[in-house]
Amino acid sequence: MSGEIKKLDSKQPDGPIETAWDRHRFSLKLVNPANRRKRKVLVVGTGLAGGGSAAGLAELGYQVEAFTILDSPRRSHSIAAQGGVNAAKNYPNDNDSIWRLFYDTLKGGDFRGNEKSTYRLAQCANSIIDQAVAQGVPFTREYAGTLANRSFGGVQVSRTFYARGQTGQQLLLGVYQSLMKEVGKGKVKLHTRKELLELIIVNGRARGIITRDLVTGELEKHYGDAVIIATGGFCKTYYLSTNAMASNGAAQTRCWKKGAYMANPCMTQIHPTSLPVMGAYMAKQTLMSEALRNDGRIWVPKKKEDKRDPNTIPDDERDYFLERRYPSFGNLAPRDITSRAIKQAVDGGNGVGPTGVAVYLDFKDAIERDGYDKIKDKYGNLFDMYKHIVNESPYETPMRIYPTAHFTMGGLWVDYNLQSNIKGLFVGGESSYEYHGANRLGANSLMSAMTDGAFVLPVTVAGYLGETFATLEKVDDTHEEFDIGMKVVQGRIERLMNIKGTRTPDQFHRALGKVMFDNVGIERTEKKLIEAIESIKNIKKEFYADLMLAGDEKMNNELEKALRVEDTIDLGLLMARDALERRESCGAHYRMDFVDEDGEAQRDDENFQHVAAWEYQGDDTEPLRHIEELVFNSIQPSKRSYK
Amino acid sequence: MSDEMTLYLQVWRQKDSKSKGGFQNYKVENVSGDMSFLEMLDMLNENLAREGKDPIQYDHDCREGICGACSCMINGEAHGPGKKTTTCEMHMRHFNDGDAIIIEPWRAKAFPVLKDLAVDRSAYDKIIMAGGFIEVKYGNAPEANSMMVGKEVADFAMDNAACIGCGACAAACPNASAMLFTAAKTTQLSLLPQGKVESKKRVQSMIKKMDELGFGNCTNERLCEAACPKGISIISIARMNREYMGTLLKSDY
Amino acid sequence: MSSVFKKYIVAASGLFLTLFVLGHSAGNSLMLFSSEMFNRYGHALITNPLIYLIEFVVVAIFLTHVFFALKVTFENWSARGDVGYKKRVNKDSNLISFAASTMPYTGAVIFIFLVLHIVQFKYGAYYEITYAGTIMRDLHRLLLEYFPAPLNAIGYIIAMVVLTFHVLHGLWSITQTFGVNRSMYNKLFRNIALGFALFVLVIYVTFPVWGYLQGVK
């Protein structure tokens, strides 16, 4: 590995942005249909991006093997997205367009996303809706039978398609069904309960993976001609998040350690409206939909540590801080800004609830204005869910909410083909950094994962296979790299099993999560980030000295957790480093030492209009920070202001 | 924090699919009513792990009731005592201090136990594989609004599409029948115009697969409906029965 | 044969048997009016040359019902696997769910009752009586000997309660299995099943009660 800082080329096509994708697709090589079955693609992850690309490639005639660590592809975390999926169909005729969706996405990401990739995303979004409807996704409809739209996440047009509050579930099941159709035909070989533990590279190209069977504990070699990583985000670095337990980032970290660059890992979205932490035992936080902010008012008592019943606090003793600070957007300010304001209110000592780490989201005024029935109609299921978990009725007592980690905009670095710097390694969905820059807009995550899986990866991976068809050397699992990989994995497992210390993987994970949330969370400073790096290094040291692992090498949750936490710690460290080096505030990355005179984020386009792509240099060496310059030809970056 | 409870658990422990299992007793202290059932098990597991004992294996992932990974028969009820909830969403305030709780894995020939409370539910994937899809390829699908679907039909399709594939229906069914799961999918897909075309083949092959996998016969006892965390109705089973009969009696052309 | 098809057979034969139960009750109620009407009705039945064919069809349908019900039941028992639940409760238990869960057992009781019933009546004591020159069997007399014995009357009533439960679930179940059930009719069908089952119960319990009271007089 070279020690030089590189300027990366993400191969964005030249020329007009509107035709960039078409021209690029035309430049890709094709594979003769009869030859396609001679090429095999390994797909790790079976959510919208992974499952979609696996099904798509199989339909084209390639051999596909798909891997998931869960017991079925239908459990993949794409399922949990609630709000909807964006597309610029402009059905409501409210002056939406592909260009507007593209611009909103780029601006929402504070101009840290790639212009041409983002445009392609906005272009493909329309096809997602067509595709999903054809797959049988029961989107919510109007009485006339046409598809319904709603406005979501503070956007001024209604471009969000939804299936009640379960849009992610429905899109995923559509993809899952397509995948199972191909599995049934024998075109896709499905591996469930198998976890990627090592990426195999032969002569600079990704050629296989080593997996661990989570039931038998056996290590297995799998070879192919290209590898797709679509394992989702890594919010579990914060321990508590709205993400599923499997969203751990271990697969990306494995690839990173084999030389794939990690891009903008510090960009993490902290969602403002999640339920507050209720106790140390808590394993996961539940998201309360952003839609609640359409009618709910966020406030804290003006008096510090005010323990009165919220209903007895008169209006003039309440601080509706969002309405006060952002008069034009009020309670509908974007996610990053709202999260920050909530944290500042709590840090100022005005937090509420038993722990003092929450603010009120109050529907009293909305109920007085619109009536109980109308509010029940709009939010009944969310209120029920809240009552279920917290045992208080939001109709009577204001909800208590607090921000929590929700989405990672960062991820493995990819070019316009979604190919990593390692040839033959492709990355899709939340696992890559591609579209959302420094902040993701509501209902854009399904859009990006679906686009990658259905419309980009099947094209670009096929292009790679076409380009290399004549020259790619034949490799199978007898290649020595596989044996080396097996030894490395075996060594890792033995090492962890033999520490025989006193602390469980969860204890380390919680310690990491606390450092991450406090120091690499909503508000970051140079001092806190340096502290975080030190603390995480300590956690890492203690992990190797004091880990205790119960159970054996077969089906063993503790071993799975330990292997993941080991990677999560390294990923956390990298996130802190990236946050430290990005000396500006942009989107969700808010550095308190880089703010304007009003305390709002101060972007530094001169020095940081780029993607940071980190290269692993060994466990004890600082990683290298490469740069991909972001060029904006079609639009002019502006300041995000929501005052 | 609310009152803390002490609970007496009887948990099914089984080393692997081939071993014979049995119940083991555990005492769990300091359980808060705000904990979810899985968080209570997490706590027990952490205690077991610290003592160097093998923690209890169970499936879980999203912990918000949508992925369908969690399971467990809790005191004889699939997903525990709450209605329309999954185990991960069920909170310990449903229990009282000193309660005894029996925790068993799903029991069905088609869902073999892998370890402790984790079972293999790939049989459900196989039913979907047999026809639970619309045979459409990725690519240029027809314009979404070119096909009208009435709101009521779309809504009923959505009611059925809400299935999370957790397996509670077969687990709760006295006959370990997978009819509710299968019917939910056939109903969703054949109600929609885009799925109608294949409905004959779909319903026949899904029922055939369901039988082959060793699920029992439906005897209309409605326990599936009561156990379903998503409230899917047995009306869908009636609908599938009707549709299946139609495929035997009617010709397509 | 698919599981659903087997259920069609059980349901169709069950529907036929339910109608038989209804028809039989109509014939039986003649006993309440006059012994002559009742005996003449019996005579007309057994002297009809078609009776053998009808008997054959009824028995065949009955055996088909039993055979497929047994087959389905055994398959269902084995579908649970080698280890059953230590504890299992119904989240939504009521009268119909009780009837549903006991179908194989109520079925068995009805089977035993039917065997006894045929032995005791069809092949029971043969008395003769003459009406207007025609000699025929005096079944009415047999009834009046049978029901006044408290054990017989009580046994008959218990069997009829069991039959009621069987019919209660069976009839509602048919609406499911044949797919005529819809959300809007769900409640209606349940009430129809309940009403029909109660009707059958009332009619059939009338016979032993009436017979017993005749004896006491």
Side-chain angles (χ1 to χ4, degrees):
Chain A
M1 286 169 206
S2 73
E4 246 173 77
I5 291 173
K6 290 181 226 165
K7 290 231 171 191
L8 303 175
D9 173 17
S10 75
K11 300 187 184 121
Q12 305 273 319
D14 296 329
I17 197 165
E18 292 87 350
T19 55
W21 174 230
D22 267 353
R23 282 179 290 114
H24 180 74
R25 280 201 291 179
F26 182 66
S27 75
L28 295 173
K29 289 235 163 59
L30 300 175
V31 181
N32 175 339
N35 278 336
R36 291 181 191 162
R37 70 177 73 92
K38 295 178 190 158
R39 286 287 174 265
K40 182 160 83 180
V41 183
L42 306 180
V43 184
V44 187
T46 53
L48 286 182
S53 54
L57 285 162
E59 284 168 2
L60 290 171
Y62 298 97
Q63 285 183 58
V64 177
E65 292 196 33
F67 299 83
T68 171
I69 64 174
L70 298 162
D71 70 327
S72 163
R74 70 177 300 146
R75 318 245 186 258
S76 306
H77 195 53
S78 308
I79 206 163
Q82 300 170 350
V85 53
N86 284 336
K89 284 274 194 189
N90 195 27
Y91 287 153
N93 198 24
D94 53 1
N95 193 9
D96 196 9
S97 62
I98 289 174
W99 193 272
R100 192 180 293 280
L101 174 56
F102 154 69
Y103 183 78
D104 284 351
T105 304
L106 214 52
K107 183 191 174 199
D110 221 351
F111 303 98
R112 290 294 173 261
N114 244 318
E115 185 186 67
K116 292 210 166 90
S117 308
T118 308
Y119 192 83
R120 173 179 68 191
L121 176 72
Q123 273 178 316
C124 289
N126 284 348
S127 310
I128 293 173
I129 306 303
D130 299 342
Q131 186 72 38
V133 167
Q135 280 173 340
V137 170
F139 282 121
T140 302
R141 287 179 183 261
E142 307 289 358
Y143 271 99
T146 53
L147 293 160
N149 287 109
R150 66 180 168 199
S151 143
F152 194 75
V155 174
Q156 285 151 316
V157 290
S158 291
R159 63 160 73 110
T160 304
F161 293 80
Y162 59 102
R164 292 198 190 137
Q166 293 129 279
T167 321
Q169 180 198 27
Q170 293 312 314
L171 287 180
L172 178 75
L173 292 182
V175 166
Y176 158 74
Q177 285 159 204
S178 289
L179 177 65
M180 295 319 281
K181 158 177 75 78
E182 295 304 311
V183 175
K185 288 179 181 164
K187 299 270 186 65
V188 175
K189 193 167 172 205
L190 179 66
H191 302 268
T192 57
R193 297 192 194 255
K194 286 194 184 161
E195 180 163 17
L196 176 145
L197 288 183
E198 192 70 324
L199 175 72
I200 300 299
I201 296 172
V202 178
N203 293 333
R205 290 177 190 272
R207 296 310 298 271
I209 56 173
I210 305 283
T211 60
R212 182 172 173 274
D213 185 313
L214 300 181
V215 178
T216 62
E218 266 166 54
L219 301 180
E220 293 166 2
K221 306 167 186 175
H222 300 278
Y223 67 96
D225 302 292
V227 177
I228 297 175
I229 300 288
T231 52
F234 43 84
C235 277
K236 287 311 273 183
T237 38
Y238 291 87
Y239 188 70
L240 283 177
S241 75
T242 62
N243 283 192
M245 310 311 274
S247 305
N248 51 60
Q252 289 105 306
T253 312
R254 287 288 107 204
C255 295
W256 179 61
K257 290 191 171 181
K258 290 292 268 191
Y261 301 157
M262 189 75 83
N264 289 350
C266 74
M267 305 293 193
T268 316
Q269 182 168 80
I270 311 285
H271 197 290
T273 54
S274 132
L275 297 185
V277 179
M278 296 169 85
Y281 51 80
M282 218 160 155
K284 126 115 200 184
Q285 286 177 284
T286 306
L287 184 74
M288 283 284 123
S289 171
E290 193 157 32
L292 290 171
R293 286 200 277 139
N294 287 333
D295 283 302
R297 295 178 74 191
I298 293 178
W299 63 278
V300 288
K302 281 186 178 156
K303 212 168 76 189
K304 285 185 202 307
E305 280 166 51
D306 193 336
K307 292 288 173 198
R308 279 178 292 171
D309 174 351
N311 288 326
T312 65
I313 300 177
D315 233 27
D316 58 345
E317 291 179 41
R318 297 173 174 198
D319 178 13
Y320 293 94
F321 53 91
L322 280 173
E323 294 168 27
R324 173 171 56 81
R325 290 178 57 181
Y326 305 99
S328 66
F329 274 71
N331 293 300
L332 287 171
R335 290 178 179 178
D336 50 342
I337 288 167
T338 308
S339 293
R340 222 171 285 148
I342 293 174
K343 182 170 180 347
Q344 284 157 0
V346 167
D347 288 351
N350 299 74
V352 300
T355 53
V357 189
V359 299
Y360 289 126
L361 176 59
D362 200 338
F363 292 87
K364 198 182 75 175
D365 295 338
I367 292 172
E368 272 169 22
R369 186 187 62 224
D370 296 341
Y372 173 88
D373 290 333
K374 196 157 176 205
I375 294 299
K376 183 168 192 257
D377 196 42
K378 268 187 179 167
Y379 308 115
N381 57 339
L382 291 168
F383 281 19
D384 290 349
M385 190 156 106
Y386 181 87
K387 177 151 200 291
H388 206 78
I389 298 170
V390 183
N391 210 18
E392 282 174 5
S393 166
Y395 297 106
E396 289 145 23
T397 317
M399 279 187 180
R400 280 175 284 129
I401 53 150
Y402 196 68
T404 194
H406 181 57
F407 187 88
T408 48
M409 281 74 72
L412 289 172
W413 183 83
V414 288
D415 62 16
Y416 190 68
N417 284 324
L418 301 183
Q419 184 170 221
S420 148
N421 56 305
I422 298 174
K423 289 201 174 77
L425 179 69
F426 291 80
V427 191
E430 197 182 342
S431 341
S432 83
Y433 89 100
E434 192 66 355
Y435 308 107
H436 304 296
N439 180 47
R440 177 180 64 76
L441 291 183
N444 262 5
S445 66
L446 290 175
M447 178 173 84
S448 60
M450 200 61 190
T451 297
D452 285 359
F455 302 110
V456 183
L457 284 168
V459 173
T460 59
V461 172
Y464 168 79
L465 295 171
E467 175 197 316
T468 59
F469 191 80
T471 54
L472 199 68
E473 63 177 313
K474 228 180 147 50
V475 168
D476 63 17
D477 55 8
T478 55
H479 195 280
E480 58 168 2
E481 286 293 340
F482 282 92
D483 295 325
I484 296 170
M486 289 285 270
K487 276 202 198 98
V488 169
V489 175
Q490 194 59 49
R492 264 184 84 200
I493 293 174
E494 273 161 27
R495 180 182 182 193
L496 297 183
M497 300 284 287
N498 288 325
I499 297 172
K500 299 196 191 305
T502 60
R503 277 187 273 171
T504 62
D506 276 343
Q507 282 174 289
F508 290 103
H509 198 167
R510 276 196 286 264
L512 172 71
K514 187 163 175 12
V515 174
M516 292 298 292
F517 194 78
D518 290 348
N519 297 2
V520 199
I522 303 167
E523 288 178 336
R524 303 154 177 193
T525 62
E526 175 132 6
K527 183 166 157 279
K528 282 207 278 186
L529 290 166
I530 292 172
E531 260 175 38
I533 292 172
E534 281 319 302
S535 315
I536 300 172
K537 279 183 175 166
N538 271 335
I539 292 172
K540 189 172 170 178
K541 213 184 289 165
E542 287 167 32
F543 178 82
Y544 288 116
D546 198 23
L547 174 74
M548 100 162 287
L549 259 186
D552 54 20
E553 281 188 36
K554 286 188 184 159
M555 197 171 194
N556 184 352
N557 235 323
E558 291 293 298
L559 176 59
E560 288 166 29
K561 280 187 203 162
L563 286 164
R564 291 170 196 165
V565 170
E566 186 186 16
D567 284 333
T568 306
I569 292 173
D570 282 327
L571 189 51
L573 194 55
L574 188 64
M575 290 163 80
R577 277 208 173 103
D578 186 43
L580 178 63
E581 292 304 323
R582 187 169 280 279
R583 289 167 212 284
E584 63 160 349
S585 290
C586 61
H589 173 63
Y590 179 75
R591 285 279 299 257
M592 289 170 82
D593 32 3
F594 298 97
V595 291
D596 64 11
E597 54 281 2
D598 296 333
E600 296 300 325
Q602 180 75 53
R603 213 172 61 212
D604 180 355
D605 286 346
E606 203 167 311
N607 296 306
F608 288 96
Q609 190 167 298
H610 64 232
V611 175
W614 293 83
E615 184 181 359
Y616 181 69
Q617 295 287 306
D619 242 4
D620 303 314
T621 318
E622 303 265 312
L624 274 182
R625 186 177 189 271
H626 302 303
I627 281 169
E628 177 203 338
E629 293 291 350
L630 293 170
V631 186
F632 297 102
N633 294 321
S634 312
I635 47 142
Q636 205 51 47
S638 60
K639 187 179 168 72
R640 272 172 91 216
S641 171
Y642 295 93
K643 289 250 170 199
Chain B
M1 212 159 290
S2 58
D3 301 346
E4 307 227 311
M5 302 178 269
T6 300
L7 298 167
Y8 299 88
L9 309 185
Q10 278 186 60
V11 183
W12 181 265
R13 301 301 307 263
Q14 184 172 334
K15 211 167 160 354
D16 52 39
S17 53
K18 289 178 193 97
S19 311
K20 207 170 153 312
F23 284 96
Q24 276 203 14
N25 296 325
Y26 301 95
K27 184 176 164 187
V28 201
E29 286 168 322
N30 306 321
V31 176
S32 147
D34 290 337
M35 275 183 175
S36 77
F37 196 82
L38 293 183
E39 283 163 350
M40 185 274 294
L41 283 181
D42 284 342
M43 190 166 81
L44 169 61
N45 266 350
E46 190 142 357
N47 293 341
L48 289 175
R50 274 187 208 158
E51 294 164 25
K53 288 180 188 154
D54 197 11
I56 300 162
Q57 186 83 34
Y58 54 87
D59 280 321
H60 61 97
D61 192 37
C62 78
R63 302 221 182 190
E64 54 184 60
I66 194 76
C67 79
C70 62
S71 58
C72 295
M73 211 67 174
I74 298 162
N75 272 344
E77 293 181 277
H79 291 301
K83 278 203 173 178
K84 290 195 193 179
T85 48
T86 54
T87 299
C88 66
E89 287 176 300
M90 194 188 45
H91 285 74
M92 296 312 291
R93 62 181 79 94
H94 289 280
F95 297 92
N96 299 314
D97 189 30
D99 273 2
I101 306 177
I102 301 172
I103 310 172
E104 297 174 81
W106 287 164
R107 300 273 188 213
K109 195 160 78 183
F111 291 161
V113 174
L114 293 172
K115 183 179 177 182
D116 302 336
L117 303 172
V119 300
D120 179 1
R121 282 169 289 191
S122 56
Y124 270 12
D125 291 330
K126 288 180 187 138
I127 294 177
I128 296 295
M129 219 188 281
F133 47 76
I134 290 173
E135 178 102 42
V136 57
K137 288 194 176 187
Y138 282 100
N140 265 344
E143 153 62 35
N145 256 353
S146 62
M147 197 170 357
M148 302 294 178
V149 183
K151 187 168 166 45
E152 269 101 13
V153 170
D155 281 350
F156 191 58
M158 181 61 215
D159 289 345
N160 285 279
C163 168
I164 55 174
C166 64
C169 45
C173 175
N175 315 327
S177 164
M179 283 287 272
L180 190 64
F181 172 78
T182 311
K185 191 46 73 185
T186 58
T187 300
Q188 177 210 338
L189 294 179
S190 16
L191 268 179
L192 297 170
Q194 57 269 48
K196 245 176 205 142
V197 186
E198 298 165 80
S199 59
K200 178 173 179 175
K201 190 175 143 231
R202 177 182 308 118
V203 70
Q204 288 190 345
S205 49
M206 285 178 79
I207 288 176
K208 186 162 168 253
K209 180 53 83 178
M210 173 186 88
D211 293 344
E212 273 170 22
L213 289 163
F215 288 107
N217 306 284
C218 175
T219 50
N220 307 320
E221 302 196 33
R222 298 170 38 252
L223 273 80
C224 52
E225 180 183 72
C228 177
K230 297 293 148 187
I232 295 171
S233 156
I234 51 155
I235 292 299
S236 302
I237 296 182
R239 203 195 162 279
M240 181 168 76
N241 286 335
R242 178 166 76 241
E243 193 180 346
Y244 183 72
M245 191 182 291
T247 69
L248 302 177
L249 299 176
K250 277 187 289 194
S251 158
D252 281 345
Y253 45 85
Chain C
M1 195 181 286
S2 74
S3 57
V4 177
F5 198 85
K6 279 179 270 190
K7 292 295 301 170
Y8 290 156
I9 297 177
V10 177
S13 54
L15 182 62
F16 175 86
L17 294 171
T18 311
L19 294 176
F20 175 82
V21 165
L22 195 64
H24 191 45
S25 75
N28 279 7
S29 14
L30 295 176
M31 76 171 79
L32 308 176
F33 301 110
S34 90
S35 56
E36 184 179 341
M37 246 159 125
F38 183 73
N39 284 334
R40 276 182 180 278
Y41 153 73
H43 185 69
L45 271 188
I46 54 177
T47 50
N48 189 331
L50 277 175
I51 191 68
Y52 296 103
L53 182 67
I54 292 168
E55 267 185 352
F56 174 78
V57 169
V58 172
V59 169
I61 288 177
F62 176 73
L63 290 180
T64 308
H65 187 76
V66 171
F67 175 79
F68 279 95
L70 278 176
K71 187 170 161 60
V72 162
T73 303
F74 288 129
E75 282 170 0
N76 289 346
W77 285 348
S78 94
R80 176 97 293 145
D82 301 331
V83 189
Y85 289 113
K86 178 167 181 162
K87 188 176 176 187
R88 195 169 65 81
V89 296
N90 186 348
K91 272 190 198 184
D92 183 23
S93 91
N94 56 33
L95 202 66
I96 298 193
S97 66
F98 172 76
S101 60
T102 51
M103 285 303 267
Y105 312 107
T106 48
V109 170
I110 294 163
F111 186 86
I112 294 166
F113 167 78
L114 276 178
V115 172
L116 290 175
H117 187 69
I118 290 166
V119 169
Q120 284 161 342
F121 288 96
K122 189 172 165 72
Y123 300 105
Y126 196 94
Y127 304 113
E128 280 183 348
I129 193 165
T130 311
Y131 295 113
T134 321
I135 302 170
M136 58 185 74
R137 186 174 178 189
D138 190 0
L139 262 175
H140 201 261
R141 184 171 159 198
L142 185 59
L143 284 179
L144 292 182
E145 283 176 10
Y146 183 80
F147 282 129
L151 264 185
N152 286 346
I154 290 169
Y156 192 95
I157 290 172
I158 290 173
M160 288 310 112
V161 172
V162 169
L163 178 69
T164 303
F165 274 100
H166 200 82
V167 167
L168 171 61
H169 176 68
L171 203 60
W172 176 78
S173 199
I174 287 166
T175 68
Q176 267 294 110
T177 303
F178 285 154
V180 288
N181 199 9
R182 310 281 206 277
S183 340
M184 51 184 176
Y185 303 137
N186 196 5
K187 249 205 170 118
L188 178 72
F189 284 140
R190 268 154 194 268
N191 290 335
I192 289 177
L194 195 64
F196 182 84
L198 285 176
F199 176 72
V200 168
L201 181 71
V202 169
I203 288 189
Y204 275 96
V205 166
T206 310
F207 307 141
V209 171
W210 170 84
Y212 178 75
L213 292 176
Q214 294 293 313
V216 173
K217 261 195 267 174

